[in-house]
Amino acid sequence: MASQLLNVTRTLSKLSLNTKCRLGNTLIKLEQELAPQPLFSNPSRNTNFFNKLPAHDLWKGITSVSNAGKKRGRGKTVSKKNIKDLNRGQIIGVGKANIVWPGLTAPIIRGKEIVEQQQLPEDPERQKKLDALRDQMGTHRYAKLSPIERGWSGAKMPGRSIGPPDPIGEEIFTGFDSKVIELKTVFNMKGNFGRKRRVSATVVTGNQNGVAGFANGKGQEPKTALRKAKNRSGQKLMHIKIFRNHTVYHNFFTQFGATKIFVQQKPEGYGLVCHRAIKTICEVVGIKDLHAKVEGSTSVTHVMKAFFLGLIRQKSHEEIAESKGLHLVEFCKENGYFPTVLASPAKCRSPDEIKNDEILDFTQYCYDGRVVLKKKKHPPFYTKHKSYEIYLKKQEKLRNKEEVKMNLIAQYGEIRSFLTEKYPECRPYKEPKKEQAEEDSNT
C-alpha cells in the first residue's frame, strides 16, 4: 500500500506547476524509510468457500432442496429427521486410540504432579455405542392416530376435530366441538418481499344441537391459522332447525356459485349419505339422517356455504302450511303409510280456490320446480332371457299385492273389498293378543 502511495506522489510531483515547491525532500525520506518493494503486488485471499461459511450452512447446501426443487417433487426424503449428526456421542480429543493428552483431555498439573501423555487400553464397546446412537437418528415416525381421530384422508387435518373454541372472558363453549374443513397454503405477491407464504384454514364449530358457525383464518403457521378460524367460528354462530332431533325439516334445493345441492329428508337410522364436507357439517350441527346430491363445482368452501344457506332458509311446517293455505300431511313407510297431520293453516283453501297449474307435489315445491339429475338405469341382463318372461307370467297374479295391502290399511284401516260390508265375516283372521287370549280362556 505504501509503495502505491509513493508512485502516486511521484506522478503528482511531475504534474506540479509550481517549480519552487517540489516534493523531492519528502520523496527521499520516504524511499529511505521504505524497503524496496515491487511496483505491482498480487493481493492474496485468506478466505475461501470452505472457511467463509459456518458448518451449518455448508451442510445445509448439501442436504437441503431449493424451493424450485420442492415444487418439482425433489428431496421428499431429505429433512431434519433423516439427517444424522455424526458428531453426536463423540468428545474432542477422544478417539479410537484411547490416549491421555495433557491440556486437551486431562489437566496439565494434577495436584503436585505433571501429567504426561500415556496410552490407555482401547474401548471395544465404543464403536458399537456410536453405531447404536446413529441408528436411533433419522427414524422418527409420527404416532398412529386412532380411527376415530383420523380425518378424511389419513393423518391430514381436514375432517379432524380440534376441540371447542377458546373461552371469551367468563363465557365457556361447553358442549361445542370444531372440525377442520380445509387447510391449504396460499401465496400473496408483495412488492418488497415477493411471494409471501401463509396458511389458510376453514373450520366449522357447533354444539350438535342446532347451533353452528364457520369461519376462515390465516397465519404463518398451521396452528395459528387453525386457532384463529376456530375462535372466529365461535363468534359467528347461527341457529339451525332440526326436525325431530335427527334430520332436516323438509327437502330443499340450495346453490352457491356453480355448486348446486339437492337435500332429502330421511327417516331415523338412514345415516348420512352425502359429500364428506356436508357429513362433517351435519356431525357438528346434530343432523344424523340425510341424503344430499351435489351437482356442479365440488369446491369444499362452496359446498359448505351452499349447505349452510339451505339450512338457514328452511321453513317450518307451520310456515309451509300458511304459505300454501293447505294442510301438511305426512305419509311414511315406517308408520304404515298412515296420514299424520304435521301442520294446518289458519284458513284452509277449498278445492275451487286451487289453480290448475299450481304445484301440489311436495318434493317439486321444496325444490322450487327443479329436478334432480339421475343416471339412467339400464335393465338387468336377465330381462332379455326367455326364462324371465316365464317368471313374470307366473307372478302376474301376485303383482302389486303388497302395495294394495298398504293402501287399503292406510285408507280403511283394514284389508277389505267391496263385498266386506255384505259379508262382514270375510275378513283376514288376526291372532288375539296374549292378554285377551288369557281372559277368553279364563271365562
Side-chain angles (χ1 to χ4, degrees), residues 150-340:
R150 288 178 193 157
W152 297 339
S153 57
K156 293 186 178 180
M157 285 306 298
R160 287 181 60 181
S161 175
I162 56 175
D166 297 336
I168 303 173
E170 297 180 356
E171 297 293 332
I172 301 172
F173 291 86
T174 54
F176 278 77
D177 189 20
S178 305
K179 292 200 174 184
V180 183
I181 296 294
E182 190 177 34
L183 184 69
K184 61 183 180 181
T185 305
V186 293
F187 291 92
N188 188 17
M189 186 62 73
K190 297 287 186 180
N192 297 333
F193 305 104
R195 283 160 55 93
K196 189 177 180 182
R197 174 186 170 278
R198 299 179 79 190
V199 179
S200 175
T202 307
V203 175
V204 178
T205 302
N207 67 343
Q208 303 175 6
N209 196 20
V211 177
F214 67 92
N216 182 268
K218 292 183 180 180
Q220 296 293 338
E221 297 296 330
K223 288 184 179 180
T224 308
L226 290 171
R227 178 178 52 80
K228 286 182 180 179
K230 179 177 67 173
N231 295 336
R232 284 177 185 171
S233 62
Q235 299 169 4
K236 301 178 180 180
L237 299 176
M238 58 193 84
H239 179 70
I240 295 167
K241 302 171 185 175
I242 302 178
F243 180 58
R244 292 174 182 170
N245 296 324
H246 75 95
T247 186
V248 292
Y249 258 76
H250 55 82
N251 301 351
F252 61 83
F253 168 81
T254 179
Q255 182 176 359
F256 184 86
T259 302
K260 304 173 185 178
I261 306 176
F262 293 87
V263 179
Q264 294 180 13
Q265 182 193 67
K266 288 298 177 180
E268 200 165 358
Y270 182 83
L272 297 170
V273 182
C274 52
H275 191 275
R276 58 188 183 181
I278 298 175
K279 185 177 180 181
T280 304
I281 296 168
C282 289
E283 290 172 356
V284 168
V285 173
I287 298 172
K288 301 169 187 174
D289 305 294
L290 187 81
H291 181 277
K293 175 73 166 60
V294 180
E295 292 182 4
S297 172
T298 55
S299 171
V300 180
T301 52
H302 280 210
V303 170
M304 179 189 66
K305 292 177 182 178
F307 187 62
F308 265 103
L309 279 173
L311 291 176
I312 294 168
R313 292 173 181 174
Q314 283 186 106
K315 294 181 181 179
S316 63
H317 295 154
E318 289 76 14
E319 292 173 353
I320 295 173
E322 286 293 336
S323 64
K324 294 294 289 184
L326 299 170
H327 296 286
L328 188 62
V329 184
E330 179 188 33
F331 295 89
C332 63
K333 187 177 180 181
E334 290 72 29
N335 293 337
Y337 294 101
F338 288 103
T340 305

